[in-house]
Amino acid sequence: PCCTADNFRVDLNDTPASAWNTSASHVFAASFRDAHPGCGRSLKAIFDAWIVHFNYLRQVYAKQQMVAREEQARISNLARRERKLQLYNRRLRMAHRHSGPYPSAVNVVQQLGPAGMSSDESEHEVGHGERTYHITGKAWRSTTVTATLRVLDALHLGMRYQQQWNATAGAWPHLRMPSSQLSSREPPSGLPKNFY
């Protein structure tokens, strides 16, 4: 047998007819008959009743898994939006701080807004070192605008160091690496022509 009555295990990702689950069903039926000898049911009737219940358990498990996946997707979307908002605010602060040498940078960041910031995705599991985020590029955005945003990112990182390369306090921006992945979202309308 695949398991015992004391260490009973089924595979809810597989069908009742799988080798493991069939063996577990026989273990259940024999254990139930031994525990309830006066139930008046044959071993086959107990086995068949267990199969019906097992299918119900699989349905419940599938629903729970679907809800968990939907919740994880919702959390991921919220985290992605929050990262985009933080990126927008950080770039806007740098654009204001360096508006002398880069007078158009404030306008670029403000017109793009948080929605105009590139998304990023991590393929990294939580708790396994520093996360690296791969930038999802915007095919519609001009290289000049993208270059302006990258300069603002570099200025922000440079500002995080004081004299003699001593880092300032606070959380570091997450590591964003270019990737070949492009966003499938439509470009926002109403931006200046040179943004496209």
Side-chain angles (χ1 to χ4, degrees):
C2 65
C3 60
T4 65
D6 293 331
N7 189 19
F8 186 72
R9 294 171 189 261
V10 293
D11 182 1
L12 294 174
N13 289 313
D14 211 344
T15 65
S18 74
W20 181 277
N21 288 331
T22 299
S23 178
S25 298
H26 286 293
V27 168
F28 175 84
S31 173
F32 186 89
R33 187 189 57 195
D34 292 347
H36 306 282
C39 75
R41 303 281 181 197
S42 69
L43 201 57
K44 179 168 179 5
I46 296 169
F47 180 92
D48 292 343
W50 165 252
I51 295 297
V52 171
H53 183 65
F54 180 77
N55 279 321
Y56 167 74
L57 292 176
R58 287 184 67 222
Q59 289 174 1
V60 170
Y61 179 71
K63 279 184 187 175
Q64 288 173 341
Q65 294 299 98
M66 183 179 67
V67 167
R69 282 190 300 273
E70 288 171 354
E71 179 64 10
Q72 184 57 47
R74 186 185 73 76
I75 289 170
S76 293
N77 285 335
L78 286 173
R80 189 178 311 113
R81 278 198 315 230
E82 181 61 26
R83 286 193 308 271
K84 283 176 78 164
L85 183 60
Q86 288 176 2
L87 183 61
Y88 168 78
N89 288 329
R90 186 169 60 237
R91 286 173 170 170
L92 188 58
R93 278 193 311 275
M94 287 299 105
H96 279 295
R97 183 171 283 175
H98 298 283
S99 59
Y102 302 102
S104 63
V106 173
N107 185 43
V108 167
V109 175
Q110 285 178 331
Q111 288 201 37
L112 284 173
M117 303 295 110
S118 295
S119 294
D120 51 34
E121 295 292 332
S122 173
E123 298 171 358
H124 182 79
E125 293 295 321
V126 175
H128 293 81
E130 186 67 29
R131 279 187 174 210
T132 300
Y133 293 87
H134 301 280
I135 299 169
T136 305
K138 296 197 177 290
W140 59 264
R141 194 165 63 197
S142 79
T143 55
T144 305
V145 170
T146 299
T148 300
L149 297 175
R150 297 291 182 267
V151 166
L152 294 172
D153 294 342
L155 287 169
H156 176 260
L157 192 56
M159 296 279 299
R160 293 303 306 272
Y161 286 100
Q162 302 286 331
Q163 278 27 343
Q164 302 165 357
W165 291 97
N166 292 325
T168 59
W172 283 88
H174 55 277
L175 181 59
R176 301 177 85 232
M177 301 296 290
S179 74
S180 58
Q181 187 176 357
L182 294 174
S183 173
S184 59
R185 290 185 182 231
E186 291 293 316
S189 58
L191 293 175
K193 288 182 181 179
N194 62 345
F195 277 41
Y196 299 98

